[in-house]
Each structure stands twice: as structure tokens, then as C-alpha cells.
Amino acid sequence: MQPGDQKNRFTNITFINHGNLRKNGLMPLYAQLADLIRSDITKGKLKKGDLLPTEKELGQLYGVSRITVRGALGVLAYDGLIFRKKGRGTIVKQDKLTRQVPGLLGIHEEIRAAGGTPRTKLVSFAILSSPPVKAQKICGMERGEKVIKLERVVYSDNEILGLSVALIPLCIWGRIGIDPEHIKNKSLYHLLAKGGFQPFEAEETIEVIRADKENATRLDVPRGFPVFYLTRTVYTKEGIFVECGLNLYRADKYQFKMHHWRVMDPQQK
Amino acid sequence: MQPGDQKNRFTNITFINHGNLRKNGLMPLYAQLADLIRSDITKGKLKKGDLLPTEKELGQLYGVSRITVRGALGVLAYDGLIFRKKGRGTIVKQDKLTRQVPGLLGIHEEIRAAGGTPRTKLVSFAILSSPPVKAQKICGMERGEKVIKLERVVYSDNEILGLSVALIPLCIWGRIGIDPEHIKNKSLYHLLAKGGFQPFEAEETIEVIRADKENATRLDVPRGFPVFYLTRTVYTKEGIFVECGLNLYRADKYQFKMHHWRVMDPQQK
DNA sequence: GGTTATTTGTACGAACAATTT
DNA sequence: GAAATTGTTCGTACAAATAAC
């Protein structure tokens, strides 16, 4: 199907799961409406290329204003399920993509998402009077700033996946107040979130290097074996720096999937 | 600075580049306002942690409604320059991150962005009666669908960077109507965009493999040398599949930078 | 600690502009 | 050229969260 093609617009009420919006205070109306339409799409009532009812019609169907409808459509457009064309209407997208924010998962969550069972072993725990030079370069940490250094080995289903070093400013660590003992098998990001520093943004670089003797031993691979070298700088919603992660993952046991997209249309759409 | 901290709110008019909004039809008011505030942030008039004037005040300052102000703030929040807190206000973020959509750059653009000079050499051009099995798996192309296969060597500043195979459905290729001769040194994505199929979304996987004899020769590396194996499936805004890319890049000459983030707040924010 | 004021979040109605059919 | 549809913008009102007293 090409851009110019289109299908009939669904004005038929029965196509829509109608009349279920409640002003219960739990969820905004626009979010409820978005979920209803989303389920119509994912369940196949609305198929790729279909034109949705117009914003006016949707408002009438569900007894809400056009603003609310636009809020709902904005969610779906943001999630990549629909797109809109001025003068034409709102159209269900082709469905090839796995529409999912790249996410900001910790390694625990990543492994679980891939169907594995994560396990981490704490190798070392220390308070440094100054961050390593590497970390200063990567995430602009100040010299002389006290940091926690957490070194862990990561296993997936009892196979070594990689090594992980996390540097966390002492002032952050102090506020979340965790006993090093409790880190074992716990998601670091989960702990940070519970302490009021929920990870929200991250900058990451991915390189490949070859294992030196020390790393090769620890990763149980021959010397020179390719490993991903992954650095990650993590921030809260407020832009507060919370972690600098230096990670080595075996290249034979790890791969990346990404979803890039350009969203413009920041306003309700 | 911690989440609870804050600075004074700027109600001082002189801090804002005021009175420049025009209903000229070229740009919506909210976008103009967003640009004004953005420049105040990037130029340092508004610093990290600062509270912006309230939505009401901004509206009065610029003579626009609160809806328009919210549109502008929505843009900036989306771009990661500010965040908002109910009951408190709108706050300028810390400025560590390079706020940039991950982007959907072709290899030409990537090289240029890194300060290099891209060059591509066309190795082969063919019309296949069916996509390779690999491509069928990666991007769900149908057996029997005619595709164009474009094989190119990519150089950055006259050094070999990698090999690139692009598979494009014949029906798309036919519509953009390009002479294979003209692909040389051109950005494929640029050509696609000119033909009405602007790349908008992509799904990508990154793995590391070791070069076999053939690839090693072509990439000018020893056998077994680690190379990035990068597959990419590209779609338009409408969700129309336009390209399946299979790429091999030398791991010593390539690295990835990513910016992940969680944006919720789909409505104007 | 509770109350009040402030500020953003959600939602309504209405009108016109820009684009496509 | 006319009709239909989304895009932008106004005014207004109340809810929910935060901050100040």
C-alpha cells in the first residue's frame, strides 16, 4: 500500500468499544479513550490503513469534547499506532514495527525481557575520594567528588554475561540509604527509583574492544575476544546525574535492538 | 542540586525576549514562543534549575492564551529542556545531556556529523526476484517480492569503514525513479525522501561478528576481526516499509552513541 | 499539621486556518 | 470551487499537587 491509498472511514459505532469512559478520577478521559482505541487497533477491529472516525464523531460517540479526543489521538500518534493528515483524517499505521520506547532498562530488566533469569554477584564495593579519570571524561564528574563504586558480575541463566561497574555520587547514595549487602540480585535502577531518583534519561555509547588478560579471565573467554564496551550516563527527569556505568559484555552473548523515530508534532496530535 | 531545591522564579520581563511573536502564518505562535524560550535557555539567560514564569504570566507577557503557552512548553519538555511539576512550576533542566533525538541518519549523514567526509562506491546493483532469506527474517519481506539490491562500500576520509547492502522493494524504487549511476556518493535516505518516501522510523539490531575470509578481504582486516553487524528496517511516517539494510562496519572504526529517554505526558506539556 | 494560595493538569465550547478530497 | 478534516488559538472552569503560612 502506498501513501495515497486509503480505506473507508469507520463511522460504524459497533466498531468502537463505546460508552466506557468514566470520570472516576483514576485516569484522565483522554487516556481512557486512547486505551479503548488502542485495543481496537491491537485486536484488529481497526486495521492498518483504516481511517478512524473523525475527531468530531469520536467526540460524539464517547460524549467528550474534541480536545479530549485530540489528547487521546495524541497518545496514539506518539506511540506510533496512528498518524494524522490535515484535510484527510487519522489513519492506522502499518503494523510492522514493535512500537516501544527504547526504554531505559537496567541489565536485570533487559535479561528478564529477553526471557532469561538475571543474577548479579557483588565483586567489590568502595567509596572513592574521586571518580576514575575515565568517568570524569564520560560523564563530566568533578575531580574530588566522592563516589560509590559498585562492581558486579552479571549472569543470565547462570552463564556469565558481563562485568558492570557503577559509579554513583555519594550524595545520591546517601539519600537512598542502602546496605551494600542488599544489592545482590537487585536491580540498581529499581533501588534508585525507590530512593526518589528514578532513572529517566540516559546517554550511552557502544564500542567493541578486545578482552585483555584480566578481563578475559573474568569473562571466561580467550584473550582478544571481542566484548562490548558500553558506557552509560543516567539522569533523572530533573536532569540530575545519578549513575555512570561502565560495562563489559561478551559480544557473543549480547546484542542490541533499537527503535529510532522522529516525532515532531509536540502539541496534542 | 537535588530534586527539592529550586531557584527564584523569573518574572522579570527583561529576562525574556519579549514581544516578538507574529501571526505571520509561517510558524504557529506556540512554535515561535518555544524558540524564544529555547534561545533564552541556550544563551544562558535561563539557567538550570531556574523556574520559568508561570503559564499565566508567559501568556500575559507575550499576549497569547494559556493554550498557546502550553503548546510552547510542550515542545521544550519534549526536547528535554524543561520539566514541569504540578503545583510548582516549570523548571529548566540540568544541562548535561546532548538533547537530540536519536535520529535516523544514513551513513552519509553519520559520517558528516562526526566530522568526516563520506564517500560510497557502488559495488553491485541488481534486481532480485525474491529477497534473501536473511531479509525475509529481519523485516518480514515476502517471498517472491521483487527487490532492488544495492551493495556499496563506505569510506570515511578515504578509509574503508564498512560494507552496506540495501534492499528496497521494486515498487518503491520504481516510484523514486533513480538511475543507479546517480547513487554514487549520494545519501540513499536523501534520495528516498526526495521521491516521497521520507524515512521516519527504523528498527535496528547491533551485533558483533567476526569477519570471515571474504569480508575480511573486502574490509581490509585480518580474518576473525570483530565487525559490527547492523541490520536496519526503515519505514515512512505512514509505516510503509522502504528499506532493509544489512551493514558490516569495522569495529575499530565505529561506535554508537544513543540517547534514551522516557517521555510520557503525551498531551501538551 | 492543617489551611490557603499558587501552579500545572484536564476538560469544556467555539472559531477560523490550512490542507485534502 | 465547495465540503470535510485536522491544526491552531481563544476563553473559561475545575481538579490535583505543591508551597507558604
Side-chain angles (χ1 to χ4, degrees):
Chain A
M1 194 155 40
Q2 298 309 325
D5 304 342
Q6 66 169 53
K7 296 196 179 177
N8 290 328
R9 189 184 298 281
F10 286 92
T11 50
N12 190 336
I13 308 182
T14 62
F15 266 87
I16 306 277
N17 218 340
H18 149 252
N20 291 349
L21 301 187
R22 278 188 196 81
K23 219 161 186 168
N24 53 12
L26 292 176
M27 249 168 76
L29 289 176
Y30 75 86
Q32 295 180 50
L33 179 53
D35 281 350
L36 283 181
I37 301 175
R38 186 198 310 275
S39 82
D40 279 345
I41 294 174
T42 55
K43 283 181 188 161
K45 284 190 195 175
L46 292 166
K47 295 183 189 64
K48 55 186 178 179
D50 283 350
L51 275 168
L52 262 68
T54 68
E55 296 176 349
K56 202 167 101 184
E57 284 167 346
L58 282 170
Q60 289 164 350
L61 283 171
Y62 291 98
V64 294
S65 75
R66 191 174 157 219
I67 294 222
T68 306
V69 172
R70 284 182 66 75
L73 296 183
V75 178
L76 300 175
Y78 183 82
D79 289 347
L81 290 163
I82 59 172
F83 66 100
R84 301 147 102 179
K85 272 209 177 294
K86 203 190 280 186
R88 183 152 158 232
T90 306
I91 302 134
V92 180
K93 267 207 194 176
Q94 312 294 46
D95 58 355
K96 289 262 179 68
L97 297 174
T98 58
R99 304 174 201 293
Q100 184 191 346
V101 185
L104 186 58
L105 303 169
I107 185 67
H108 273 87
E109 289 83 352
E110 277 180 20
I111 294 170
R112 253 192 291 270
T117 306
R119 195 161 64 83
T120 52
K121 199 169 74 177
L122 188 62
V123 175
S124 75
F125 177 89
I127 302 178
L128 310 182
S129 56
S130 192
V133 181
K134 259 193 237 170
Q136 292 177 32
K137 279 187 195 150
I138 291 167
C139 49
M141 297 176 86
E142 305 282 337
R143 250 189 55 184
E145 189 185 352
K146 289 205 180 81
V147 294
I148 295 294
K149 182 183 173 192
L150 252 175
E151 207 169 352
R152 294 177 298 172
V153 184
V154 181
Y155 300 84
S156 172
D157 292 324
N158 293 322
E159 284 194 336
I160 284 196
L161 181 64
L163 306 169
S164 165
V165 174
L167 301 166
I168 301 165
L170 185 57
C171 56
I172 301 280
W173 185 260
R175 292 210 186 191
I176 61 177
I178 297 171
D179 190 334
E181 273 309 303
H182 286 71
I183 304 160
K184 205 166 35 174
N185 285 335
K186 283 274 176 67
S187 159
L188 179 58
Y189 291 178
H190 182 67
L191 293 174
L192 282 167
K194 280 213 307 185
F197 294 94
Q198 178 160 41
F200 179 81
E201 290 185 273
E203 218 152 69
E204 212 165 47
T205 65
I206 305 174
E207 294 172 72
V208 169
I209 59 175
R210 309 185 76 152
D212 60 18
K213 203 170 78 177
E214 186 190 346
N215 287 327
T217 310
R218 292 200 281 175
L219 288 170
D220 192 24
V221 292
R223 261 182 63 178
F225 194 87
V227 289
F228 281 112
Y229 176 51
L230 203 147
T231 68
R232 185 185 263 185
T233 316
V234 182
Y235 303 83
T236 65
K237 188 181 175 190
E238 289 81 14
I240 297 165
F241 165 70
V242 291
E243 189 221 358
C244 173
L246 309 170
N247 304 283
L248 289 177
Y249 294 134
R250 287 174 53 158
D252 60 334
K253 301 216 171 170
Y254 204 70
Q255 70 167 26
F256 295 87
K257 273 191 194 174
M258 297 190 290
H259 185 163
H260 303 225
W261 76 118
R262 278 186 184 132
V263 191
M264 341 104 185
D265 306 341
Q267 210 176 352
Q268 285 193 6
K269 285 190 192 181
Chain B
M1 192 156 40
Q2 298 310 325
D5 303 341
Q6 66 168 56
K7 297 193 177 178
N8 290 327
R9 188 184 300 277
F10 285 93
T11 49
N12 189 335
I13 309 184
T14 63
F15 265 88
I16 306 275
N17 217 343
H18 149 250
N20 291 349
L21 301 187
R22 278 188 197 80
K23 222 164 186 166
N24 53 13
L26 291 177
M27 246 169 77
L29 290 175
Y30 75 87
Q32 294 179 50
L33 179 53
D35 282 350
L36 284 180
I37 301 173
R38 185 198 310 276
S39 82
D40 279 346
I41 294 174
T42 55
K43 283 180 188 162
K45 284 189 193 173
L46 292 166
K47 294 183 192 64
K48 54 185 181 180
D50 283 351
L51 274 169
L52 264 67
T54 68
E55 296 177 349
K56 201 166 104 184
E57 283 166 348
L58 282 170
Q60 288 162 351
L61 283 171
Y62 292 97
V64 294
S65 76
R66 193 177 155 217
I67 293 219
T68 304
V69 172
R70 284 182 66 75
L73 297 182
V75 177
L76 300 174
Y78 183 81
D79 290 347
L81 290 161
I82 60 171
F83 67 99
R84 303 148 102 179
K85 272 211 178 294
K86 205 189 281 187
R88 182 152 157 232
T90 306
I91 301 130
V92 180
K93 267 204 192 180
Q94 313 293 48
D95 58 355
K96 289 260 180 66
L97 297 175
T98 58
R99 302 176 203 292
Q100 184 194 345
V101 186
L104 186 58
L105 302 170
I107 186 67
H108 272 88
E109 288 84 351
E110 276 180 20
I111 293 170
R112 255 193 289 271
T117 307
R119 194 162 64 83
T120 51
K121 198 169 73 176
L122 187 61
V123 175
S124 75
F125 176 89
I127 303 179
L128 310 182
S129 56
S130 193
V133 181
K134 260 192 233 169
Q136 293 177 29
K137 278 186 195 151
I138 292 167
C139 49
M141 297 175 88
E142 304 282 335
R143 250 189 56 185
E145 190 184 353
K146 288 205 179 84
V147 294
I148 295 293
K149 181 182 174 192
L150 253 174
E151 207 171 353
R152 294 178 298 171
V153 184
V154 181
Y155 300 85
S156 172
D157 291 324
N158 293 322
E159 284 195 337
I160 283 196
L161 181 64
L163 306 169
S164 165
V165 174
L167 301 166
I168 302 164
L170 184 58
C171 55
I172 302 279
W173 185 260
R175 292 211 185 190
I176 62 178
I178 297 170
D179 190 335
E181 272 309 302
H182 286 70
I183 305 161
K184 206 166 35 176
N185 285 335
K186 284 274 176 65
S187 159
L188 179 59
Y189 290 178
H190 182 65
L191 294 175
L192 281 167
K194 279 214 307 186
F197 294 94
Q198 177 159 43
F200 179 82
E201 291 186 273
E203 219 153 68
E204 213 166 45
T205 64
I206 304 174
E207 295 173 70
V208 169
I209 59 174
R210 309 183 78 152
D212 60 19
K213 204 168 77 177
E214 186 188 345
N215 287 327
T217 310
R218 293 200 282 178
L219 288 170
D220 193 23
V221 293
R223 262 182 63 176
F225 195 87
V227 288
F228 281 113
Y229 176 52
L230 204 148
T231 67
R232 185 184 263 184
T233 316
V234 182
Y235 303 83
T236 65
K237 188 182 176 192
E238 289 81 13
I240 298 166
F241 166 71
V242 291
E243 190 221 359
C244 173
L246 309 170
N247 305 282
L248 288 177
Y249 294 135
R250 285 174 54 159
D252 60 334
K253 300 216 170 168
Y254 204 72
Q255 70 166 28
F256 295 86
K257 271 191 195 176
M258 297 189 289
H259 184 162
H260 304 223
W261 77 118
R262 279 186 183 134
V263 191
M264 345 101 189
D265 306 342
Q267 210 176 351
Q268 284 192 5
K269 286 192 188 177

